[in-house]
Amino acid sequence: MKRPRLMAPGPVLVGQSVMKRISESIIHHRTPAFTERLNSALKNLKKIFQTEQACMIHASTGTGAMESAIVNTLSPGDEILVVCCGRFGERWAEIAEAYGIKAHRIEQEWGTSLKISNLEKALKDHPNVKALLSQACETSTGAIHPIKEMAEKMNDHSGIFMVDGITALGAYHIPMDRWGIDVLIGGSQKAFALPTGLSFISLSEKAWKFYEEAKCPRFYFDLKSEKLANDKGQTRFSSAGSLIEGLELSLYYLTEMGLDNHFHTIADRAFYFRKAMKEMGLEFFPENPSPSLTVVKVPEGIDGVKFRAHIEDKYNVTVMGGQEKLKGQIIRIGHMGAQNLNDYLLTISAIGNSLIDLGFALSKEQVDRAELNYKCNWQERESGHG
Ligand SMILES: *Cc1c(COP(=O)(O)O)cnc(C)c1O
């Protein structure tokens, strides 16, 4: 079977040593050997969340942690504000509504970042809201939201601030305690450079108070029971042992390398890649792009669905297209995961040559030059002169 190079904004490329660890023989999850792994992972997760609070792991995809955030802090009938300018904002609202919570959407055009004045207005219009829910990075558009400023607005509000940081946490600084975020979540197949299947969550002291009052039905995702099990070196139910072993190793690398270094690497991948896209005549979609992914507009006259499929079929690179109202209009390339220089050269040439194949006004020389410039920039950076 053909296995195209994975350059999507999740799932992402997983490094070889982590893949190897995941494929080792299984350690039973109720043993001291596993407890050691789990404790290390839980301890290092706090460094990524930049929190003193406990971090917990769910054996679920990221959406599970979104549901967990809601059922552990809210009650049917509660009112909340949800930032909706993309597909994942809408998902927050849909989960809440499934539990009988009244979601007031702060709607803006897809691709925009939240305007603080719109938040101020929504807070005035709905004075009784129990929470504000947002993405840190709206992965469907590539836009980043002003989380620090939003947290400031919520800090003297009686409600809590819940952030889906699935394409932020582990990709750039999002210091939960310092900024005053009450619930923060992450996902394994994005910035943690792991396969899909784990999600992460942490609650502030204020959010734990909400836990005590929350009336949404919950069982599997009950965080207090999970935390009690974690305090004894276990997970409440069977641990996703192999993935947690992979997590332990991935977190070890992240924290050993230093978070700042890791975040710089991701930001530089994005910076030089965008330079290459610009050199090939492409434009970008979001007004304030996140470093975790690049979203380029499909040039006029090119069928975006065909374009994405062509990159994969002919050049063996997987990038993502747009979803729902952006279908066919954008392609999305991730900067998270175990990517190297070669992955980028391949991606730049795959995108460039596909554009040529589909009739875009671009020459082979321009594509080669964009690729070469990326290579020079990256090598200069690696040698410490970048
Ligand atoms: C990927 C992603 C999710 C979670 O999706 P799952 O498929 O459940 O892992 C949620 N929010 C954002 C912003 C994401 O990028």
Side-chain angles (χ1 to χ4, degrees), residues 38-305:
L38 178 65
N39 286 345
S40 157
L42 291 173
K43 188 175 110 227
N44 280 334
L45 266 180
K46 291 184 175 200
K47 296 183 189 160
I48 312 287
F49 278 73
Q50 303 184 47
T51 185
E52 296 295 319
Q53 300 297 323
C55 295
M56 286 148 288
I57 302 170
H58 289 309
S60 77
T61 70
T63 307
M66 294 172 81
E67 181 153 342
S68 169
I70 287 171
V71 300
N72 280 290
T73 57
L74 298 173
S75 304
D78 280 352
E79 289 181 54
I80 60 169
L81 293 177
V82 185
V83 176
C84 282
C85 22
R87 185 169 180 254
F88 290 104
E90 193 53 41
R91 184 172 301 175
W92 264 138
E94 285 170 12
I95 299 169
E97 283 164 351
Y99 284 95
I101 293 161
K102 175 106 191 73
H104 301 290
R105 291 164 171 77
I106 308 176
E107 298 199 56
Q108 290 186 178
E109 197 145 337
W110 283 33
T112 61
S113 301
L114 179 73
K115 287 190 186 64
I116 293 295
S117 57
N118 285 345
L119 172 58
E120 285 167 345
K121 182 174 180 302
L123 284 169
K124 223 176 269 162
D125 291 347
H126 307 286
N128 297 320
V129 292
K130 288 280 171 57
L132 168 66
L133 282 68
S134 181
Q135 272 57 46
C137 161
E138 173 51 78
T139 322
S140 63
T141 68
I144 199 166
H145 289 308
I147 296 301
K148 183 167 181 271
E149 289 73 18
M150 293 160 76
E152 275 164 18
K153 287 279 159 229
M154 290 306 288
N155 281 346
D156 38 45
H157 189 281
S158 59
I160 49 174
F161 183 30
M162 305 211 226
V163 178
D164 165 1
I166 291 177
T167 42
L169 196 63
Y172 57 86
H173 276 293
I174 175 155
M176 175 170 151
D177 289 0
R178 188 144 46 83
W179 286 0
I181 297 166
D182 295 300
V183 181
L184 183 58
I185 66 174
S188 60
Q189 82 272 29
K190 309 279 172 87
F192 289 81
L194 291 165
T196 308
L198 297 179
S199 64
F200 316 112
I201 184 165
S202 185
L203 269 57
S204 70
E205 268 174 41
K206 187 175 171 188
W208 279 114
K209 292 204 182 96
F210 275 59
Y211 170 95
E212 297 299 338
E213 307 293 322
K215 299 280 186 304
C216 281
R218 61 183 179 225
F219 183 78
Y220 187 76
F221 287 134
D222 188 303
L223 283 175
K224 198 164 191 180
S225 314
E226 189 61 43
K227 186 175 174 299
L228 285 173
N230 288 172
D231 290 344
K232 295 186 198 126
Q234 299 192 343
T235 58
R236 185 176 168 213
F237 303 108
S238 295
S239 309
S242 302
L243 285 174
I244 290 173
E245 285 207 57
L247 173 68
E248 195 237 343
L249 190 58
S250 185
L251 289 173
Y252 172 78
Y253 288 141
L254 281 186
T255 52
E256 273 300 290
M257 197 207 297
L259 276 187
D260 280 327
N261 275 336
H262 174 67
F263 294 157
H264 275 140
T265 301
I266 289 182
D268 287 348
R269 285 172 185 166
F271 181 78
Y272 293 124
F273 180 72
R274 286 167 196 172
K275 221 164 147 228
M277 293 298 103
K278 232 184 276 171
E279 283 164 13
M280 300 197 309
L282 292 173
E283 290 171 6
F284 306 103
F285 180 69
E287 53 180 14
N288 297 305
S290 162
S292 50
L293 74 155
T294 291
V295 180
V296 297
K297 287 187 196 162
V298 173
E300 213 154 314
I302 297 214
D303 178 332
V305 175

